[in-house]
PDB file of all heavy atoms in Angstrom:
ATOM      1  N   ASP A 108     113.006  94.010 116.162  1.00  0.00           N
ATOM      2  CA  ASP A 108     114.417  94.207 116.491  1.00  0.00           C
ATOM      3  C   ASP A 108     114.864  95.586 116.021  1.00  0.00           C
ATOM      4  O   ASP A 108     114.958  95.844 114.822  1.00  0.00           O
ATOM      5  CB  ASP A 108     115.261  93.121 115.814  1.00  0.00           C
ATOM      6  CG  ASP A 108     116.689  93.064 116.362  1.00  0.00           C
ATOM      7  OD1 ASP A 108     117.105  94.031 117.031  1.00  0.00           O
ATOM      8  OD2 ASP A 108     117.372  92.053 116.122  1.00  0.00           O
ATOM      9  N   GLY A 109     115.106  96.472 116.985  1.00  0.00           N
ATOM     10  CA  GLY A 109     115.525  97.831 116.653  1.00  0.00           C
ATOM     11  C   GLY A 109     116.956  98.149 117.048  1.00  0.00           C
ATOM     12  O   GLY A 109     117.343  99.309 117.112  1.00  0.00           O
ATOM     13  N   ARG A 110     117.750  97.096 117.314  1.00  0.00           N
ATOM     14  CA  ARG A 110     119.154  97.333 117.664  1.00  0.00           C
ATOM     15  C   ARG A 110     119.889  97.955 116.475  1.00  0.00           C
ATOM     16  O   ARG A 110     119.619  97.609 115.321  1.00  0.00           O
ATOM     17  CB  ARG A 110     119.831  96.030 118.053  1.00  0.00           C
ATOM     18  CG  ARG A 110     119.293  95.375 119.321  1.00  0.00           C
ATOM     19  CD  ARG A 110     119.876  93.975 119.474  1.00  0.00           C
ATOM     20  NE  ARG A 110     119.565  93.149 118.287  1.00  0.00           N
ATOM     21  CZ  ARG A 110     120.331  92.151 117.832  1.00  0.00           C
ATOM     22  NH1 ARG A 110     121.472  91.857 118.452  1.00  0.00           N
ATOM     23  NH2 ARG A 110     119.957  91.451 116.769  1.00  0.00           N
ATOM     24  N   PRO A 111     120.835  98.872 116.710  1.00  0.00           N
ATOM     25  CA  PRO A 111     121.554  99.512 115.612  1.00  0.00           C
ATOM     26  C   PRO A 111     122.160  98.540 114.608  1.00  0.00           C
ATOM     27  O   PRO A 111     122.057  98.752 113.392  1.00  0.00           O
ATOM     28  CB  PRO A 111     122.627 100.331 116.342  1.00  0.00           C
ATOM     29  CG  PRO A 111     121.967 100.706 117.632  1.00  0.00           C
ATOM     30  CD  PRO A 111     121.163  99.492 118.014  1.00  0.00           C
ATOM     31  N   ALA A 112     122.781  97.460 115.082  1.00  0.00           N
ATOM     32  CA  ALA A 112     123.367  96.493 114.143  1.00  0.00           C
ATOM     33  C   ALA A 112     122.290  95.841 113.285  1.00  0.00           C
ATOM     34  O   ALA A 112     122.492  95.586 112.087  1.00  0.00           O
ATOM     35  CB  ALA A 112     124.153  95.429 114.905  1.00  0.00           C
ATOM     36  N   ALA A 113     121.134  95.572 113.896  1.00  0.00           N
ATOM     37  CA  ALA A 113     120.036  94.969 113.143  1.00  0.00           C
ATOM     38  C   ALA A 113     119.476  95.942 112.113  1.00  0.00           C
ATOM     39  O   ALA A 113     119.140  95.545 110.986  1.00  0.00           O
ATOM     40  CB  ALA A 113     118.934  94.519 114.100  1.00  0.00           C
ATOM     41  N   VAL A 114     119.365  97.213 112.487  1.00  0.00           N
ATOM     42  CA  VAL A 114     118.870  98.235 111.564  1.00  0.00           C
ATOM     43  C   VAL A 114     119.711  98.230 110.283  1.00  0.00           C
ATOM     44  O   VAL A 114     119.184  98.214 109.160  1.00  0.00           O
ATOM     45  CB  VAL A 114     118.910  99.630 112.220  1.00  0.00           C
ATOM     46  CG1 VAL A 114     118.588 100.721 111.207  1.00  0.00           C
ATOM     47  CG2 VAL A 114     117.943  99.704 113.398  1.00  0.00           C
ATOM     48  N   LYS A 115     121.023  98.217 110.449  1.00  0.00           N
ATOM     49  CA  LYS A 115     121.908  98.273 109.290  1.00  0.00           C
ATOM     50  C   LYS A 115     121.887  96.967 108.503  1.00  0.00           C
ATOM     51  O   LYS A 115     122.010  96.966 107.273  1.00  0.00           O
ATOM     52  CB  LYS A 115     123.322  98.636 109.748  1.00  0.00           C
ATOM     53  CG  LYS A 115     123.371 100.046 110.337  1.00  0.00           C
ATOM     54  CD  LYS A 115     124.714 100.390 110.960  1.00  0.00           C
ATOM     55  CE  LYS A 115     124.655 101.792 111.579  1.00  0.00           C
ATOM     56  NZ  LYS A 115     125.926 102.169 112.233  1.00  0.00           N
ATOM     57  N   ASN A 116     121.679  95.863 109.197  1.00  0.00           N
ATOM     58  CA  ASN A 116     121.557  94.575 108.530  1.00  0.00           C
ATOM     59  C   ASN A 116     120.290  94.536 107.672  1.00  0.00           C
ATOM     60  O   ASN A 116     120.332  94.146 106.501  1.00  0.00           O
ATOM     61  CB  ASN A 116     121.518  93.459 109.566  1.00  0.00           C
ATOM     62  CG  ASN A 116     121.303  92.087 108.953  1.00  0.00           C
ATOM     63  OD1 ASN A 116     122.223  91.509 108.392  1.00  0.00           O
ATOM     64  ND2 ASN A 116     120.096  91.570 109.047  1.00  0.00           N
ATOM     65  N   PHE A 117     119.154  94.947 108.264  1.00  0.00           N
ATOM     66  CA  PHE A 117     117.903  94.979 107.514  1.00  0.00           C
ATOM     67  C   PHE A 117     118.051  95.854 106.265  1.00  0.00           C
ATOM     68  O   PHE A 117     117.576  95.505 105.181  1.00  0.00           O
ATOM     69  CB  PHE A 117     116.769  95.539 108.382  1.00  0.00           C
ATOM     70  CG  PHE A 117     116.275  94.627 109.469  1.00  0.00           C
ATOM     71  CD1 PHE A 117     116.156  95.096 110.770  1.00  0.00           C
ATOM     72  CD2 PHE A 117     115.897  93.322 109.198  1.00  0.00           C
ATOM     73  CE1 PHE A 117     115.672  94.275 111.786  1.00  0.00           C
ATOM     74  CE2 PHE A 117     115.412  92.490 110.199  1.00  0.00           C
ATOM     75  CZ  PHE A 117     115.304  92.964 111.501  1.00  0.00           C
ATOM     76  N   ALA A 118     118.695  97.008 106.414  1.00  0.00           N
ATOM     77  CA  ALA A 118     118.845  97.939 105.294  1.00  0.00           C
ATOM     78  C   ALA A 118     119.667  97.323 104.169  1.00  0.00           C
ATOM     79  O   ALA A 118     119.337  97.491 102.985  1.00  0.00           O
ATOM     80  CB  ALA A 118     119.498  99.236 105.770  1.00  0.00           C
ATOM     81  N   ALA A 119     120.723  96.608 104.531  1.00  0.00           N
ATOM     82  CA  ALA A 119     121.574  95.988 103.510  1.00  0.00           C
ATOM     83  C   ALA A 119     120.774  95.016 102.652  1.00  0.00           C
ATOM     84  O   ALA A 119     120.914  94.977 101.422  1.00  0.00           O
ATOM     85  CB  ALA A 119     122.749  95.275 104.176  1.00  0.00           C
ATOM     86  N   GLU A 146     118.294 105.065 119.992  1.00  0.00           N
ATOM     87  CA  GLU A 146     119.326 104.214 119.397  1.00  0.00           C
ATOM     88  C   GLU A 146     118.924 103.757 117.998  1.00  0.00           C
ATOM     89  O   GLU A 146     119.745 103.732 117.076  1.00  0.00           O
ATOM     90  CB  GLU A 146     119.611 103.008 120.298  1.00  0.00           C
ATOM     91  CG  GLU A 146     120.250 103.369 121.628  1.00  0.00           C
ATOM     92  CD  GLU A 146     120.604 102.139 122.451  1.00  0.00           C
ATOM     93  OE1 GLU A 146     120.646 101.019 121.888  1.00  0.00           O
ATOM     94  OE2 GLU A 146     120.826 102.299 123.667  1.00  0.00           O
ATOM     95  N   THR A 147     117.663 103.392 117.846  1.00  0.00           N
ATOM     96  CA  THR A 147     117.179 102.953 116.539  1.00  0.00           C
ATOM     97  C   THR A 147     117.250 104.090 115.526  1.00  0.00           C
ATOM     98  O   THR A 147     117.757 103.927 114.409  1.00  0.00           O
ATOM     99  CB  THR A 147     115.730 102.436 116.646  1.00  0.00           C
ATOM    100  OG1 THR A 147     115.689 101.354 117.590  1.00  0.00           O
ATOM    101  CG2 THR A 147     115.218 101.959 115.307  1.00  0.00           C
ATOM    102  N   ALA A 150     120.759 104.964 114.488  1.00  0.00           N
ATOM    103  CA  ALA A 150     121.326 104.058 113.491  1.00  0.00           C
ATOM    104  C   ALA A 150     120.853 104.430 112.082  1.00  0.00           C
ATOM    105  O   ALA A 150     121.627 104.374 111.118  1.00  0.00           O
ATOM    106  CB  ALA A 150     120.950 102.620 113.813  1.00  0.00           C
ATOM    107  N   GLU A 153     122.761 107.339 110.862  1.00  0.00           N
ATOM    108  CA  GLU A 153     124.073 106.962 110.336  1.00  0.00           C
ATOM    109  C   GLU A 153     123.955 106.441 108.902  1.00  0.00           C
ATOM    110  O   GLU A 153     124.837 106.674 108.069  1.00  0.00           O
ATOM    111  CB  GLU A 153     124.718 105.922 111.245  1.00  0.00           C
ATOM    112  CG  GLU A 153     125.132 106.488 112.602  1.00  0.00           C
ATOM    113  CD  GLU A 153     125.713 105.434 113.524  1.00  0.00           C
ATOM    114  OE1 GLU A 153     125.898 104.283 113.095  1.00  0.00           O
ATOM    115  OE2 GLU A 153     125.973 105.766 114.701  1.00  0.00           O
TER     116      GLU A 153
END
Side-chain angles (χ1 to χ4, degrees):
D108 193 344
R110 295 170 303 150
V114 172
K115 295 173 183 179
N116 176 77
F117 288 130
E146 293 184 16
T147 302
E153 291 177 5

